[in-house]
Amino acid sequence: MADPLSVQATMVPKEQIQLDFKDGSGHFVLMVRREGTAAGSGLLDGAQIVEFGRHDIIPGVAGDPSGYLVATKGEGNVAYIKWTVRAVFLPAKDGKPQINDNGFWEVVSGTGAFKGLKGAGTLHIKAANPTDRIFILDGQMVPQAN
């Protein structure tokens, strides 16, 4: 039986590498490792989350962020989650482009209590401030059958 999942984590950058295109487009590719703690309901509530992400963005136009989340909850219990997002810029009330990051996630493997874990759902990324991002995961997870 699938268990509902609804968690969010404020992800704080720990390492970054950025490629800035020098063509006037503002295009950049950011490789980032961020860390946070998931809070909410479901199997990942309380898990430590590490993002390994690649954010390919043309500000004001669009982008294609993707990567992996590594969720650790207790000794040896690790879930590897692949995610993909489409960034779309829409005009805000002030007329300036506002980013909308919406996509999906899926469990690709796990260890310990997360061995055999299956799951998928939606992912939304929102800015907490200029550097931190809030990852919001909703969906379903099915633990390994005993």
Side-chain angles (χ1 to χ4, degrees):
M1 296 288 285
D3 295 328
L5 177 82
S6 183
V7 294
Q8 68 179 42
T10 300
M11 304 299 288
V12 178
K14 300 300 179 182
E15 290 183 76
Q16 296 189 149
I17 299 172
Q18 185 165 322
L19 165 65
D20 291 308
F21 287 61
K22 306 294 186 199
D23 59 3
S25 67
H27 188 179
F28 67 91
V29 178
L30 176 69
M31 302 289 286
V32 64
R33 181 176 61 85
R34 296 183 179 117
E35 297 178 0
T37 302
S41 61
L43 291 173
L44 297 183
D45 179 40
Q48 298 302 306
I49 308 290
V50 178
E51 172 205 359
F52 294 88
R54 177 185 168 275
H55 300 257
D56 188 351
I57 305 288
I58 302 172
V61 180
D64 294 297
S66 64
Y68 285 87
L69 300 175
V70 179
T72 304
K73 190 171 179 181
E75 186 67 32
N77 304 317
V78 179
Y80 297 96
I81 300 165
K82 183 177 183 175
W83 61 269
T84 301
V85 163
R86 179 66 177 159
V88 177
F89 288 83
L90 300 172
K93 289 181 181 175
D94 61 7
K96 294 181 181 174
Q98 181 179 18
I99 193 167
N100 290 268
D101 282 325
N102 301 294
F104 57 90
W105 60 267
E106 63 180 304
V107 176
V108 293
S109 70
T111 65
F114 293 143
K115 185 176 178 74
L117 180 68
K118 303 290 183 199
T122 61
L123 170 64
H124 304 287
I125 303 174
K126 298 184 182 296
N129 59 45
T131 59
D132 302 352
R133 298 294 176 264
I134 302 168
F135 277 58
I136 303 164
L137 287 82
D138 290 296
Q140 303 285 320
M141 286 190 152
V142 181
Q144 174 184 351
N146 292 334

